[in-house]
């Protein structure tokens, strides 16, 4: 550079060089006395020479200025970034450190020049093995990126990423060393938080690329039955994912885009590595993992949810006692079949047990229910897969036969009667049960489910009239009801006028203490010829004929009057629960009739509870309006026989009701069914979650009471506490419990 400066300041030499470069001719004169050289130039050449010299000086000035500006820009960039550069020439022991190290480490720049090991002295002790390994690898000429922690003067711990780049000499020795240092604390803490969330997540989280598992958390390992992630990392994805999930993952990998909108959450059943079958809900999305395209899979065990859904579906469509399809499932299936029947015949067999009511009344409900369970199994075995066997309620069953004719229907009916011919053993005692069967055929006897069932029911009554234990086909000669049915209908119309209807009251008690807290009004019909007729027989008839409206009104008014009389006599005040049918609620004057009864009797509305069946959800808008009006009156509202098939939680939770009653058939399951009360527990949990009071009816054993108390049910009724009592006995009961 010094030589160049001298040349630039020696005009003659500079001009000579330029002219030689330009190829111009010059005259050179040498003065031996003064020892000087003169260059004789033409005028034109001299002008060009001067211009060239000026241009060179100007360009050199511009270049120097740009270098200064660029140097300042680079310096500004280093000042704004949390980065430092450390360069050490080992041959000259020259050290260069950028000022950014002050922001990273919190120590002045001079501290690092004064002590070249200062950077190492502030490293967290636990990370020193990283440094030892780093020094060894760099000495071998390897470029190394290390991540470690330092402690700043204020005690703050920061994460450092340090990329060391060695330069090796011709003899294999390191001649210089450079290091680029970044503060990655924010990124590291974010990664640690994300990692913590992933590891603590109760759901499966996995990363997949190139058809293999790159990462899976502990919850994911547990989900698929593996002990630790190391056993799955690197394994083919087929090892844990079913075909439908594999297809989705491969589609994402093939698309290789992050806006893949066709992703859907999938549910599937999978066999774990330990052999256990579970239900999984899973979704996937594209991500980048360690610099490459990958798929993130997230999944959760929904086995409990699926089991709950299955149980709710069972409660809606299957009879809890016999596990047969219930009336709603049968009607739904029959409508489907009729829609596809075309020219094929369909048979409906309506079966009613002949001697069941006697057994049930004399031996009790427990024996009766066990008997029904065994009857159901015999009926299923007799049908032999030729059709659907369903329980309609009580001792009534319907058998549906598809693609059949009268000959096949007769054969099945005979098998059903034969199946019940032998005695049934219950609690080491023999019981003989026969059946009467009525048969209707599509399309000759009806083209819709209601008509076919009604005509099969009519034919069944004809079978009873002809001596029971036989089957009869419906014919046009049987238009209307059977003689018994006609007689009961006519008698029912006169029953109220002739004081044949009576009400019994069954106490409701607090399970934990046994203290009475309410009572239910139960209607009984004392027929002058047939004696006590079961509500299971005359209530459907009342519903069908519309007599349920005046009958229900009589029950409500009589029960309210009686309750008011007991309270006026100073007896223990208890709410009285009255069953209300859907037909009553559909009456436009129903709310007014309730209001009139309360006004007439003077009973405080809080002492009247109306029990409504789940079928109100079939006209939910109108039912909700009526229930809200009743709530304004101040009466209590409850859903009777909860779980028998109509309701759904999404609807019930919006109804203004106070209590739900668990049907007796479910309470019986606590002792007499393999599910050991699982349905009852589910109903109790649902009721509590929806803030309903839960009442269990049909309690007959202490084991049932213990189970109900243990699972959060507070109120119950049943023979274990008291049978339904006549007015006289109920008054005595109240007197004994009046403080």
């Amino acid at each position: 550079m010094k030589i160049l400066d001298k040349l630039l300041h020696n005009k003659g030499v500079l001009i000579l060089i330029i002219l030689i470069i330009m190829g111009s001719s010059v005259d050179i004169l040498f003065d031996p006395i003064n020892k000087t050289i003169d260059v004789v130039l033409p005028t034109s050449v001299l002008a060009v020479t001067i211009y060239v010299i000026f241009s060179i000086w100007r360009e050199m000035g511009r270049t120097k200025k740009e270098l200064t500006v660029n140097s300042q820009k680079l310096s500004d960039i280093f000042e704004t970034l949390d980065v430092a550069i450390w360069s050490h020439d080992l041959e000259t022991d020259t050290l260069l450190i950028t000022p950014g190290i002050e922001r990273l480490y919190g120590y002045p720049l001079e501290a690092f020049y004064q002590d070249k090991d200062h950077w190492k002295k502030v490293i967290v002790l636990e990370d020193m093995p990283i440094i030892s390994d780093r020094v060894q690898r760099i000495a071998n000429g390897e470029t190394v990126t290390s991540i470690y922690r330092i402690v700043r003067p204020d005690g703050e711990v920061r994460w450092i990423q340090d990329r060391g780049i060695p330069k090796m000499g011709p003899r294999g020795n390191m001649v210089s060393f450079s290091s680029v240092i970044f503060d990655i604390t924010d990124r590291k803490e974010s990664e640690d938080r994300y990692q913590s969330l992933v590891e603590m997540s109760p759901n499966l989280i996995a990363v997949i690329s190139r058809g293999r598992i790159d990462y899976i958390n502990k919850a994911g390992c547990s989900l698929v039955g593996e002990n630790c992630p190391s056993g799955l990392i690197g394994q083919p994805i087929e090892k844990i994912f079913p075909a439908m999930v594999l297809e989705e993952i491969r589609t994402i990998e093939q698309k290789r885009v992050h806006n893949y909108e066709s992703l859907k959450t999938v549910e599937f059943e999978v066999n774990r590595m330990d052999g256990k079958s579970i239900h999984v809900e899973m979704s996937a999305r594209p991500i980048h993992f360690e610099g490459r395209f990958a798929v993130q899979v997230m999944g959760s065990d929904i086995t409990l949810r699926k089991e709950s859904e299955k149980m709710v579906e069972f409660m809606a469509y299957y009879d809890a006692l016999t596990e047969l399809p219930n009336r709603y499932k049968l009607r739904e299936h029959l409508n489907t079949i009729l829609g596809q029947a075309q020219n094929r015949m369909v048979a409906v067999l309506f079966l009613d047990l002949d001697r069941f009511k006697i057994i049930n009344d004399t031996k009790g409900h427990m024996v009766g229910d066990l008997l029904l369970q065994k009857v159901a199994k015999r009926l299923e075995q007799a049908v032999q897969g030729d059709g659907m066997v369903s329980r309609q309620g009580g001792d009534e069953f319907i058998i549906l036969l598809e693609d059949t004719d009268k000959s096949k229907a007769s054969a099945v009916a005979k098998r059903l009667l034969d199946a019940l011919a032998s005695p049934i053993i219950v609690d080491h005692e023999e019981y003989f049960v026969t059946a009467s069967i009525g048969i209707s055929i599509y399309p000759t006897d009806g083209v819709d489910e209601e008509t076919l069932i009604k005509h099969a029911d009519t034919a069944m009554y004809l079978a009873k009239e002809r001596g029971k234990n036989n089957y009869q086909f419906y014919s046009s000669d049987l238009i209307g009801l059977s003689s018994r049915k006609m007689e009961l209908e006519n008698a029912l119309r006169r029953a109220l006028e002739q004081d044949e209807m009576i009400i019994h009251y069954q106490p409701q008690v607090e399970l934990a203490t046994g203290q009475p807290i309410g009572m239910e009004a139960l209607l009984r019909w004392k027929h002058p010829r047939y004696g006590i007729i079961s509500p299971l027989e005359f209530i459907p008839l009342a519903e069908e004929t519309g007599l349920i409206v005046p009958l229900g009104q009589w029950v409500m008014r009589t029960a309210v009057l009686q309750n008011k009389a007991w309270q006026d006599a100073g007896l223990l005040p208890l709410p009285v629960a009255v069953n209300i049918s859907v037909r009553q609620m559909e009456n436009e004057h129903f709310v007014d009739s309730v209001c009139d009864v309360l006004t007439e009797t003077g009973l405080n509305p809080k002492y009247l509870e109306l029990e409504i069946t789940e079928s109100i959800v079939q006209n939910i808008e109108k039912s909700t309006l009526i229930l809200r009006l009743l709530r304004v009156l101040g009466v209590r509202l409850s859903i009777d026989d909860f779980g028998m098939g109509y309701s759904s939680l999404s609807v019930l939770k919006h109804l203004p009701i106070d209590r739900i009653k668990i049907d007796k058939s479910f309470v019986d399951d606590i002792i007499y069914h393999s599910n050991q009360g699982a349905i009852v527990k589910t109903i109790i949990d649902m009721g509590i979650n929806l803030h309903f009071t839960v009442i269990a009816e049909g309690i007959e054993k202490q084991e049932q009471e213990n189970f109900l108390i243990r699972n959060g049910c507070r109120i119950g009724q049943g023979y274990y506490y008291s049978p339904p009592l006549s007015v006289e006995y109920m008054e005595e009961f109240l007197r004994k419990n009046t403080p």
Side-chain angles (χ1 to χ4, degrees):
M1 182 62 76
K2 293 179 180 180
I3 296 174
L4 180 61
D5 289 341
K6 290 180 179 180
L7 289 175
L8 292 175
H9 287 85
N10 190 322
K11 182 182 72 173
V13 175
L14 180 60
I15 294 173
L16 179 61
I17 292 172
I18 294 172
L19 291 176
I20 293 173
I21 293 173
M22 296 176 61
S24 302
S25 58
V26 297
D27 294 326
I28 302 174
L29 302 178
F30 176 68
D31 185 351
I33 298 175
N34 296 318
K35 298 180 180 181
T36 62
I37 298 175
D38 288 329
V39 180
V40 181
L41 302 172
T43 304
S44 60
V45 173
L46 180 60
V48 171
T49 302
I50 293 172
Y51 175 76
V52 171
I53 292 172
F54 176 76
S55 297
I56 292 174
W57 281 340
R58 185 177 62 183
E59 186 65 27
M60 289 179 62
R62 184 184 298 114
T63 302
K64 182 176 181 182
K65 183 177 180 180
E66 289 179 355
L67 288 173
T68 302
V69 171
N70 290 338
S71 177
Q72 183 61 43
K73 287 182 178 179
L74 185 61
S75 177
D76 292 342
I77 290 172
F78 279 116
E79 287 294 326
T80 57
L81 295 176
D82 286 335
V83 60
I85 296 177
W86 175 296
S87 180
H88 192 182
D89 188 329
L90 300 178
E91 293 182 328
T92 62
D93 197 25
T94 302
L95 181 63
L96 174 64
I97 309 172
T98 60
I101 201 167
E102 292 185 341
R103 288 193 301 277
L104 265 65
Y105 281 74
Y107 292 91
L109 183 63
E110 293 77 12
F112 296 92
Y113 279 111
Q114 294 172 3
D115 183 357
K116 295 185 178 66
D117 289 332
H118 184 68
W119 68 275
K120 190 185 300 183
K121 294 178 180 178
V122 298
I123 294 175
V124 173
L125 185 62
E126 290 84 357
D127 292 349
M128 287 307 296
I130 299 174
I131 304 303
S132 300
D133 176 70
R134 167 188 172 86
V135 171
Q136 182 63 40
R137 292 169 63 188
I138 289 176
N140 294 331
E142 183 180 348
T143 297
V144 179
T145 299
S146 306
I147 296 177
Y148 52 83
R149 292 166 294 172
I150 64 167
V151 181
R152 293 164 59 108
D154 58 2
E156 183 182 5
V157 176
R158 307 292 293 179
W159 283 93
I160 299 296
Q161 178 179 293
D162 187 346
R163 182 171 177 80
I165 308 169
K167 180 179 180 181
M168 310 306 289
R171 294 190 299 274
N173 60 315
M174 186 167 57
V175 296
S176 66
F177 167 75
S178 298
S179 185
V180 182
I181 307 168
F182 292 91
D183 186 325
I184 61 168
T185 303
D186 293 342
R187 189 194 80 189
K188 185 67 176 174
E189 290 179 350
S190 177
E191 290 175 352
D192 289 345
R193 283 194 296 270
Y194 176 77
Q195 183 72 16
S196 176
L197 290 173
V198 169
E199 288 300 330
M200 293 174 63
S201 171
N203 299 326
L204 174 148
I205 300 178
V207 177
I208 295 164
S209 68
R210 298 167 297 188
R212 295 189 175 274
I213 302 170
D214 289 339
Y215 170 81
I216 186 168
N217 64 352
K218 292 181 180 178
C221 292
S222 299
L223 185 67
V224 299
E226 180 67 36
N227 292 328
C228 67
S230 61
L232 293 175
I233 300 299
Q235 294 293 323
I237 55 178
E238 292 83 356
K239 187 168 184 179
I240 62 173
F241 296 115
M244 62 187 304
V245 178
L246 296 177
E247 182 179 353
E248 189 74 19
I249 292 172
R250 287 169 181 148
T251 300
I252 298 173
E253 290 183 321
Q254 290 170 3
K255 293 288 183 179
R256 286 185 171 271
V257 290
H258 282 274
N259 60 345
Y260 183 62
E261 297 179 353
S262 63
L263 297 181
K264 295 180 180 178
T265 299
V266 294
E267 295 181 6
F268 55 90
E269 189 172 1
V270 63
N271 292 320
R272 298 179 4 147
M273 295 180 179
D274 57 8
K276 182 181 179 182
S277 178
I278 60 172
H279 290 273
V280 177
E281 182 180 72
M282 187 171 289
S283 60
R285 68 183 184 91
I287 62 169
H288 275 98
F289 181 75
E290 296 182 349
R292 62 180 178 274
F293 187 88
V295 178
Q296 184 182 58
V297 176
M298 292 156 284
S300 57
D301 186 345
I302 59 171
T303 304
L304 291 178
R305 191 188 83 192
K306 298 298 287 187
E307 289 177 350
S308 296
E309 290 175 355
K310 187 180 296 185
M311 185 169 292
V312 170
E313 181 181 1
F314 175 85
M315 291 163 54
Y317 290 106
Y318 291 87
D319 175 56
L321 179 65
T322 63
E323 297 187 355
L324 292 176
N326 61 18
R327 69 177 66 185
Y328 315 116
K329 181 68 173 178
L330 181 280
R331 290 175 182 268
E332 180 182 277
H333 186 52
L334 178 54
N335 278 323
T336 301
I337 293 173
L338 294 178
Q340 304 169 350
Q342 297 180 347
N343 297 324
R344 294 176 296 177
M345 298 176 69
V346 177
V348 174
L349 284 68
F350 198 111
L351 183 150
D352 183 87
L353 300 181
D354 297 324
R355 295 176 50 82
F356 177 75
K357 291 181 175 62
I358 298 175
I359 298 172
N360 198 50
D361 292 342
T362 57
K363 296 295 184 179
H365 294 300
M366 290 296 182
V367 172
D369 288 347
L370 290 173
L371 187 63
L372 286 173
Q373 290 176 340
K374 297 198 174 187
V375 166
K377 292 186 183 301
R378 289 195 181 187
L379 296 180
E380 279 194 301
Q381 293 170 357
V383 173
Q384 299 175 355
D386 290 338
M388 173 188 284
V389 180
S390 67
R391 183 187 177 211
Q392 298 303 289
D395 60 348
E396 294 179 342
F397 298 84
I398 288 183
I399 296 87
L400 179 61
L401 305 178
E402 303 178 45
D403 195 13
T404 187
D405 54 33
K406 281 196 171 185
S407 176
K408 292 179 181 178
S410 295
V412 172
K414 290 176 182 177
R415 294 205 304 262
L416 292 169
L417 296 176
D418 291 341
L420 300 177
S422 58
I424 298 176
I425 309 299
V426 177
D427 289 342
H428 309 291
E429 189 173 349
E430 290 186 346
Y431 295 90
F432 291 88
V433 178
T434 60
S436 298
I437 303 173
I439 307 173
S440 63
I441 302 292
Y442 167 89
T444 57
D445 299 332
V447 294
D448 60 84
E449 55 93 8
E450 183 177 356
T451 301
L452 287 169
I453 292 175
K454 178 181 178 181
H455 287 172
D457 184 24
T458 300
M460 181 271 294
Y461 276 104
L462 178 62
K464 285 187 178 293
E465 288 184 351
R466 295 186 177 180
K468 302 181 177 61
N469 195 28
N470 71 96
Y471 66 91
Q472 297 292 326
F473 283 93
Y474 177 82
S475 70
S476 57
D477 296 334
L478 297 175
I479 296 175
L481 301 171
S482 66
S483 58
R484 172 181 168 89
K485 203 169 184 180
M486 291 183 195
E487 184 178 351
L488 288 179
E489 179 183 348
N490 293 331
L492 190 59
R493 295 183 185 277
R494 300 189 302 268
L496 289 177
E497 299 174 359
Q498 299 178 0
D499 294 327
E500 295 174 4
M501 293 295 177
I502 56 176
I503 297 179
H504 286 185
Y505 299 87
Q506 187 171 36
Q508 297 173 341
V509 304
E510 187 177 53
L511 298 182
T513 63
Q515 293 297 314
I517 61 170
M519 54 185 166
E520 181 180 5
L522 300 171
L523 182 61
R524 298 290 185 263
W525 183 11
K526 191 174 182 180
H527 192 277
R529 177 180 174 186
Y530 299 114
I532 297 296
I533 298 177
S534 170
L536 294 175
E537 185 173 5
F538 74 83
I539 291 298
L541 182 59
E543 291 272 7
E544 182 180 334
T545 58
L547 293 173
I548 193 67
V549 176
L551 194 61
Q553 180 67 16
W554 179 85
V555 173
M556 179 171 61
R557 185 175 183 279
T558 303
V560 169
L561 277 170
Q562 184 62 70
N563 194 17
K564 176 61 174 173
W566 281 331
Q567 291 189 25
D568 290 343
L571 300 181
L572 178 68
L574 295 177
V576 61
V578 178
N579 288 278
I580 302 297
S581 74
V582 175
R583 290 287 295 271
Q584 285 179 264
M585 288 190 63
E586 290 175 347
N587 187 294
E588 59 181 352
H589 302 298
F590 174 68
V591 177
D592 291 337
S593 67
V594 176
C595 184
D596 291 343
V597 166
L598 292 172
T599 302
E600 176 188 347
T601 60
L603 182 71
N604 189 319
K606 71 179 182 178
Y607 290 110
L608 173 61
E609 178 178 343
L610 302 182
E611 294 188 359
I612 303 131
T613 61
E614 293 178 83
S615 55
I616 61 169
V617 302
Q618 292 179 318
N619 189 352
I620 188 62
E621 293 183 1
K622 182 177 180 181
S623 298
T624 302
L625 175 61
I626 293 173
L627 293 177
R628 286 175 178 169
L629 291 173
L630 293 171
R631 174 64 69 82
V632 171
L633 291 180
V635 302
R636 292 185 181 182
L637 300 171
S638 65
I639 296 294
D640 194 22
D641 299 334
F642 180 80
M644 294 304 291
Y646 277 110
S647 63
S648 66
L649 294 179
S650 60
V651 174
L652 282 182
K653 67 181 180 181
H654 297 298
L655 292 178
I657 58 176
D658 304 294
R659 312 202 291 185
I660 58 176
K661 294 188 72 174
I662 305 175
D663 186 72
K664 176 187 179 301
S665 60
F666 296 131
V667 175
D668 292 342
D669 287 350
I670 295 172
I671 300 176
Y672 296 105
H673 196 275
S674 58
N675 67 34
Q676 297 179 333
I679 295 178
V680 174
K681 185 178 186 305
T682 300
I683 295 175
I684 295 173
D685 291 341
M686 290 176 181
I688 293 174
N689 290 334
L690 294 175
H691 306 292
F692 297 147
T693 299
V694 181
I695 306 174
E697 58 183 357
I699 303 172
E700 299 182 2
K701 299 285 184 180
Q702 184 174 355
E703 296 93 323
Q704 294 169 322
E705 180 190 68
N706 294 339
F707 179 93
L708 292 166
I709 294 174
R710 189 166 61 249
N711 286 280
C713 182
R714 298 190 303 105
I715 304 172
Q717 68 184 82
Y719 278 78
Y720 182 69
Y721 308 102
S722 172
L725 303 173
S726 64
V727 173
E728 295 76 12
Y729 283 109
M730 187 63 196
E731 184 171 323
E732 182 178 347
F733 176 88
L734 292 173
R735 200 176 302 280
K736 288 180 179 179
N737 287 277
T738 300

